[in-house]
Amino acid sequence: MIGPRVLDAALRLPTAPAYLYDLPALDEHAAAVRRAMGATELYYAVKANPDAELLRVLAAHVDGWEVSSGGEHAHVTSLFPGMPVALGGPGKTDAELRLPHHRIHVESPNELRRLVATGLRADVLLRLNPDLPVEGAALTMSGPFGMDEDGAAECLALFTDRVRLRGLHTHLASGLDAGQLIGLAGALLDGDYEEVNLGGGMAVSYAAPDTRFDWEAYGAGLAALRGGRRLRIEPGRALTAYCGYYVTKVVDVKRVRGQAYAVLLGGTHHLRTPVTKGHDQPVTVVPTGLGRGPADEPVTFVGQLCTPKDVFARNIVTTVRVGDTVVFEMAGAYAWNISHHDFLMHPKPAFHYLAG
Ligand SMILES: *Cc1c(COP(=O)(O)O)cnc(C)c1O
């Protein structure tokens, strides 16, 4: 359900398409996550959405930033000098290995050798890719990420008094609920590491926009497992997905071989999320249009791209007319920043921010 404040703002936007971010809602959500996590440190995974206005809101609630490139590092250190940064990501360049950090998440024995060779001080978490079952995940991070037990053992011999082992880092999967994440944490915290970053990947359900990951249960579960260790998490999607909206207008309605379509200004080159995740983006149609159109029947929402892949949502039962306003929810993470903006050279959306 889109609240009246957001709906009202969406209807007043001067141009379409546009992104609308609800900053007070983000502030409230991040504060609740912070409270629920107790002594567990909270970093934000910047790759989910690096928008500076969102980061300014999050900065009041997070302990630091997880960045995965030199570009993200430059972005957050210029915005928030002095805030802790954890530097991760596969394939770090020599220049990236030289960046200042609170922690660096080392992905392989060779990367650790190259880090030692810089001659700089470094505080390392080894990124482990453990052989743990992760059922029901949207995306598991097996494959090239991090290292197995052999790789980690090889690393142990490479540390020096300048390059220090601080603990473990893992990011096992995305789309896990609190119970699954606590189970994985229990298996990981078996070892004798004093510091563990448990990653992100908290579930976000696009099919049920009003449900939320159970932060209270996760916080309590980790508190029970902590036993004097320093724990950290680094969610992305579950922090910012809910505060973003993509607002546009219906430019055409039509029926082709029985199927009703609403063609919208813009497209998935602005909001790639439904295509990459293979879901229907949650949508609300506001009757601001005129004329005739499908009434209470399954409608497929498409954009202006000349490709059959440009689909936001399929067979949503609704009434829709040319000129109606269409609001997509859950467009605050892995949305604009993962999209192929320049494809077809349509105008870019405007960005608007609801303030408190
Ligand atoms: C992407 C990523 C995250 C954030 O994942 P979400 O699913 O957005 O919570 C955290 N840590 C690492 C290492 C990542 O690659």
Side-chain angles (χ1 to χ4, degrees):
M1 269 289 289
I2 303 177
R5 227 164 28 87
V6 169
L7 215 48
D8 186 54
L11 291 174
R12 289 162 191 252
L13 294 178
T15 56
Y19 268 90
L20 177 63
Y21 288 113
D22 186 352
L23 299 183
L26 176 62
D27 190 52
E28 202 176 299
H29 178 52
V33 171
R34 168 72 282 166
R35 270 196 305 278
M37 294 317 297
T40 298
E41 291 175 29
L42 175 64
Y43 280 37
Y44 172 62
V46 172
K47 80 165 187 281
N49 189 338
D51 185 293
E53 298 297 326
L54 272 61
L55 296 186
R56 282 193 194 97
V57 172
L58 289 170
H61 306 290
V62 300
D63 300 291
W65 310 107
E66 191 265 345
V67 303
S68 300
S69 71
E72 286 184 352
H73 187 282
H75 184 56
V76 300
T77 53
S78 74
L79 286 168
F80 312 102
M83 266 185 87
V85 170
L87 176 61
K92 294 181 201 68
T93 63
D94 288 339
E96 286 167 339
L97 291 175
R98 302 185 74 89
L99 291 170
H101 58 258
H102 176 63
R103 292 291 182 266
I104 184 163
H105 302 154
V106 164
E107 291 263 337
S108 76
N110 269 330
E111 189 172 85
L112 184 55
R113 286 189 187 91
R114 288 170 51 231
L115 181 64
V116 170
T118 64
L120 298 170
R121 289 191 181 280
D123 288 291
V124 173
L125 300 186
L126 291 180
R127 180 165 181 185
L128 196 64
N129 185 336
D131 189 17
L132 293 172
V134 273
E135 274 160 39
L139 198 67
T140 60
M141 300 290 154
S142 50
F145 299 104
M147 50 196 133
D148 58 20
E149 292 71 15
D150 292 345
E154 189 179 336
C155 284
L156 293 182
L158 302 173
F159 287 97
T160 66
D161 52 356
R162 294 179 80 76
V163 177
R164 294 182 299 170
L165 173 62
R166 305 298 297 248
L168 279 190
H169 171 257
T170 56
H171 172 68
L172 293 175
S174 78
L176 298 180
D177 67 27
Q180 290 171 305
L181 280 168
I182 293 165
L184 289 169
L188 280 166
L189 294 176
D190 237 7
D192 49 3
Y193 290 94
E194 277 164 27
E195 182 176 320
V196 180
N197 182 330
L198 293 161
M202 295 75 185
V204 165
S205 171
Y206 291 85
D210 295 329
T211 63
R212 291 289 182 278
F213 179 81
D214 191 345
W215 292 100
E216 306 251 325
Y218 191 40
L222 292 188
L225 291 168
R226 174 169 295 110
R229 289 188 204 81
R230 185 170 181 184
L231 297 184
R232 189 176 301 129
I233 57 168
E234 48 183 22
R237 192 186 302 271
L239 282 179
T240 48
Y242 303 100
C243 75
Y245 299 83
Y246 180 66
V247 184
T248 188
K249 294 256 185 200
V250 179
V251 68
D252 195 12
V253 290
K254 65 202 291 192
R255 193 178 303 280
V256 182
R257 300 194 200 289
Q259 172 71 54
Y261 291 96
V263 185
L264 311 181
L265 289 176
T268 55
H269 55 312
H270 296 165
L271 175 63
R272 215 178 127 71
T273 328
V275 179
T276 48
K277 298 274 289 176
H279 64 223
D280 293 326
Q281 195 71 22
V283 61
T284 299
V285 178
V286 189
T288 51
L290 296 165
R292 288 179 307 162
D296 266 330
E297 64 169 295
V299 178
T300 290
F301 290 81
V302 301
Q304 293 175 293
L305 300 183
C306 310
T307 158
K309 294 184 178 172
D310 190 22
V311 179
F312 292 103
R314 290 175 208 277
N315 291 320
I316 307 299
V317 176
T318 187
T319 297
V320 60
R321 287 175 292 202
V322 171
D324 279 353
T325 302
V326 174
V327 185
F328 291 101
E329 289 175 68
M330 300 182 74
Y334 305 102
W336 167 251
N337 65 310
I338 64 158
S339 303
H340 44 303
H341 314 147
D342 291 327
F343 187 39
L344 264 83
M345 298 178 78
H346 285 294
K348 302 236 156 85
F351 287 78
H352 299 274
Y353 301 87
L354 264 177

